[in-house]
Amino acid sequence: MKHIIIGTGPAGVVAAETLRKRMPEADITLIGGEPERPYSRMAIPYHLMGNIAESGTYLRTAPNHFRNLDITLLHQHVNSIDAAAKSISLDNGNMLTFDKLLLATGSRPTRPPLEGMDLPGVVSCWTLADARKIIAGANAGDDVVLMGAGFIGCIILEALAQRGVNLTVVEMENRMVPRMMDDQSGGLLKQWCQSKGVTVLTSTRVKCITEEKGKLVVELEGREPLKVNLVICATGVRANMELADGLLDTNHGILVNERLQTSHPDIYAAGDVAEGKDFSTGGYSVQAIQPTAVEHGALAAINMAGGEDALHRGSINMNVLDTMGLISASFGLWQGVDGGDSAALDNPQRYRYINLQFEDDRLVGANALGLTQHVGVLRGLIQNQTRLGKWKHKLMEDPTRIMEAYLAQHVPRHGP
Amino acid sequence: MLMKSLYINPEKCTGCLQCEMACSFENEGVFNPARSRIKVFTFHDAGRFVPYTCTQCDEAWCMKACPVEAIVLNAATGSKDIINDRCVGCKVCTIACPFGTVNYNSASGKVIKCDLCGGNPQCAQACPTGAITYIDADATGLERMRLWATKTDTAHHAAA
């Protein structure tokens, strides 16, 4: 069997390893478009802080990890897929054939369609190459604008602040991380950043960016323009679906079934590029998070290897974010459901906030700010669909008692 | 090789917190229950105490979710151990663990979890009532303990 995996992020790497475990004899090729060894984008903020070298971002630490597993690792761009011939063509002119193909091509940052977004001083924060540009261009005393206070924007805030830049964050929505946290916690995050000396402009749009005497001029709607050295654009990402054009069914991502199989039976998709099953809604969506990428990668590989009953029950959408030391987390249906109940603990003075969302007596979603102990149990309660019974009311009175609620329902009275 | 495992019987727990003290001293060098990796939860209404820590589950959600291979399987004990030098502090494991037993330590900027003290868990040593024991993993109770809440697999169990 010849397996080709395109993409060397977590989904691709886990898929290759899982395939090897299940198919000792198979021919496995892993292809990535970047020159570096497979690395984790999630580790980039810690590289920007100077906590780790570039090598600290590598997904696998052993120097010959892929060779040892007899996985061929290629650093090439894939130009196209010929589904009829079951082959792909590479940048270097080579053509490779496959029995099963996995697209784990990930996503890439988007830029708003504004004048000046293509100026050289405007960078994204996505790849190690981007990180090098930021390290070169964002140093003590530099004026920097960060466009977008979403997950990526927030997670690099601390690194930028630590680098000593004069930072202004410009966010279109009314709060920080609007797709992860509710009004109250997103607002508290903004307050926290302001208290740390970062200017955060929410409900603010960038009109355009121009160049003037070696500086970038960021024109804002209804405000004075900002003159800066560097603009970091973190306004969103979208799936890398070019290879699927005209070949596979797509929406926001490549459509897959419970086997992570696309509309072509021999082509699978996993990770950020795949519109996979969501545990909470039962529908399909692009989650673009690390745990989902890993689940997709493993399950796609099991199915590519002929696994019979390896069906995806759906991944829980969840995130954890450290914004200059204030930790926020979101799980599942944190916006709540129709006819459901919610419980909140709000302590803005201490930057502590918990919001639990229930459907009937089950937890279906949560937002938490300032919570670092036992936070994973929120996932456990959601994923187990734990019937909370009387503990629902206890949580409504005190949402911090999540761990007790879990133990009360899951640990038998008379020991295991 | 026969693995051993922590076996917790809440019925025998008196809530003395010796386990938390021993854990914190062994791993953090201080007697401070707040820094313990095992935690005794108190149910005042029911007069009940439940010691709780990582079960070193086979699914190893934390280990699989780690983006930089900072959580590894200890082949000798079966525990999933944090490699401090590799942990960048991204906290993905803390939300991935459905048992809530991987925690972030803001002082170190890393996560912490139970590593069975390398095969000599001090909580079990310290427990005066036998509520926490370290016993052969094929003891019948272990499987039941793991079934407490392992029906959490998002993905099919074959992914394990």
Side-chain angles (χ1 to χ4, degrees):
Chain A
M1 281 290 267
K2 274 189 183 173
H3 293 283
I4 294 179
I5 297 163
I6 307 175
T8 53
V13 165
V14 168
E17 293 167 346
T18 308
L19 273 173
R20 175 52 76 222
K21 212 179 287 175
R22 300 209 153 219
M23 306 190 87
E25 304 300 323
D27 186 2
I28 302 170
T29 304
L30 181 59
I31 307 172
E34 292 180 56
E36 294 86 4
R37 273 168 58 181
Y39 68 90
S40 167
R41 305 208 194 289
M42 292 204 41
I44 286 177
Y46 307 95
H47 176 52
L48 291 179
M49 281 185 221
N51 294 357
I52 54 169
E54 283 194 5
S55 60
T57 68
Y58 294 162
L59 283 165
R60 298 296 179 255
T61 50
N64 297 319
H65 177 79
F66 296 100
R67 197 182 309 159
N68 293 344
L69 290 175
D70 195 19
I71 293 167
T72 306
L73 179 61
L74 301 179
H75 299 279
Q76 287 288 323
H77 284 279
V78 178
N79 289 333
S80 61
I81 302 169
D82 183 335
K86 287 175 79 172
S87 70
I88 61 168
S89 69
L90 303 179
D91 244 4
N92 62 5
N94 285 358
M95 207 185 73
L96 302 175
T97 59
F98 62 84
D99 293 302
K100 304 277 181 195
L101 174 68
L102 175 64
L103 299 177
T105 48
S107 48
R108 65 160 164 278
T110 56
R111 294 197 179 174
L114 301 172
E115 183 198 330
M117 292 306 297
D118 52 352
L119 289 169
V122 180
V123 301
S124 302
C125 184
W126 193 244
T127 61
L128 274 176
D130 293 334
R132 289 175 205 131
K133 286 186 208 164
I134 293 170
I135 287 168
N139 290 296
D142 288 339
D143 297 300
V144 175
V145 159
L146 174 62
M147 285 176 69
F151 184 85
I152 309 288
C154 281
I155 208 160
I156 60 171
L157 265 182
E158 182 163 13
L160 293 171
Q162 248 184 39
R163 299 186 70 78
V165 304
N166 305 314
L167 185 61
T168 305
V169 182
V170 182
E171 166 62 45
M172 214 163 69
E173 302 280 335
N174 69 340
R175 62 188 192 271
M176 297 184 84
V177 271
R179 278 178 298 281
M180 169 178 161
M181 302 299 286
D182 61 15
D183 274 331
Q184 179 59 12
S185 43
L188 274 175
L189 265 171
K190 172 180 173 179
Q191 212 176 301
W192 171 266
C193 293
Q194 304 264 38
S195 78
K196 301 274 174 187
V198 175
T199 308
V200 182
L201 308 174
T202 46
S203 305
T204 303
R205 279 175 185 274
V206 171
K207 286 200 297 194
C208 65
I209 301 174
T210 55
E211 242 177 338
E212 189 185 300
K213 293 176 196 152
K215 284 242 179 183
L216 296 168
V217 182
V218 182
E219 302 274 355
L220 303 174
E221 256 173 32
R223 282 181 187 271
E224 289 298 300
L226 301 164
K227 289 188 181 173
V228 299
N229 308 81
L230 187 75
V231 173
I232 301 172
C233 182
T235 51
V237 299
R238 71 154 180 264
N240 290 323
M241 296 193 290
E242 289 71 16
L243 289 173
D245 275 351
L247 176 64
L248 306 174
D249 294 343
T250 62
N251 183 29
H252 296 294
I254 298 172
L255 299 183
V256 293
N257 62 19
E258 288 173 312
R259 298 182 186 280
L260 282 305
Q261 196 175 30
T262 68
S263 50
H264 188 292
D266 294 317
I267 304 178
Y268 294 72
D272 287 16
V273 78
E275 195 161 310
K277 194 168 179 182
D278 184 300
F279 176 88
S280 301
T281 63
Y284 286 75
S285 61
V286 173
Q287 290 183 344
I289 58 171
Q290 160 88 13
T292 298
V294 171
E295 285 171 6
H296 279 187
L299 273 169
I302 291 168
N303 282 291
M304 289 165 75
E308 285 292 306
D309 56 352
L311 298 181
H312 191 205
R313 287 177 55 198
S315 297
I316 290 195
N317 204 2
M318 57 188 180
N319 263 307
V320 62
L321 175 63
D322 189 335
T323 311
M324 308 185 82
L326 182 58
I327 293 153
S328 51
S330 74
F331 295 87
L333 303 172
W334 54 268
Q335 300 101 324
V337 290
D338 286 344
D341 293 311
S342 69
L345 170 133
D346 188 11
N347 189 339
Q349 284 77 31
R350 293 184 57 217
Y351 291 101
R352 232 176 123 71
Y353 176 79
I354 301 177
N355 189 314
L356 305 179
Q357 297 290 342
F358 303 94
E359 182 169 28
D360 200 1
D361 68 342
R362 292 184 307 253
L363 187 74
V364 291
N367 267 161
L369 202 61
L371 181 74
T372 56
Q373 302 302 295
H374 314 298
V375 63
V377 84
L378 290 167
R379 176 193 190 172
L381 286 168
I382 293 170
Q383 211 161 266
N384 277 303
Q385 302 182 309
T386 304
R387 287 275 177 197
L388 290 161
K390 65 181 181 184
W391 272 91
K392 178 184 171 185
H393 300 286
K394 294 186 187 191
L395 287 175
M396 300 276 285
E397 281 165 21
D398 182 357
T400 65
R401 299 181 73 187
I402 44 174
M403 195 68 229
E404 289 153 86
Y406 180 85
L407 292 174
Q409 303 310 105
H410 288 281
V411 178
R413 166 106 209 148
H414 298 291
Chain B
M1 190 184 59
L2 197 57
M3 295 273 184
K4 286 186 160 193
S5 177
L6 277 180
Y7 176 77
I8 293 173
N9 184 348
E11 222 189 6
K12 291 185 177 174
C13 179
T14 61
C16 73
L17 306 191
Q18 293 289 321
C19 54
E20 293 190 6
M21 301 288 251
C23 177
S24 131
F25 185 70
E26 171 72 14
N27 294 297
E28 306 284 327
V30 290
F31 288 108
N32 180 355
R35 314 254 313 252
S36 171
R37 295 153 193 210
I38 187 165
K39 178 94 188 135
V40 179
F41 289 87
T42 305
F43 295 82
H44 292 289
D45 303 351
R48 182 180 184 223
F49 303 95
V50 181
Y52 189 65
T53 190
C54 173
T55 63
Q56 316 297 343
C57 70
D58 290 336
E59 289 83 356
W61 310 86
C62 60
M63 188 167 86
K64 286 180 189 159
C66 178
V68 292
E69 230 182 8
I71 306 179
V72 298
L73 175 69
N74 182 325
T77 64
S79 65
K80 281 75 186 174
D81 298 351
I82 312 283
I83 310 284
N84 263 325
D85 289 347
R86 284 191 208 151
C87 175
V88 296
C90 78
K91 309 165 197 69
V92 167
C93 56
T94 71
I95 59 167
C97 169
F99 307 100
T101 54
V102 188
N103 293 321
Y104 178 64
N105 177 359
S106 55
S108 65
K110 318 258 179 196
V111 295
I112 51 177
K113 72 177 285 297
C114 170
D115 61 0
L116 297 174
C117 298
N120 183 20
Q122 293 302 298
C123 54
Q125 293 282 338
C127 180
T129 63
I132 307 168
T133 49
Y134 189 53
I135 56 170
D136 290 345
D138 69 346
T140 51
L142 173 70
E143 281 316 303
R144 276 184 282 149
M145 183 168 89
R146 286 196 171 159
L147 286 171
W148 272 1
T150 50
K151 292 188 182 67
T152 43
D153 38 359
T154 292
H156 185 267
H157 57 80

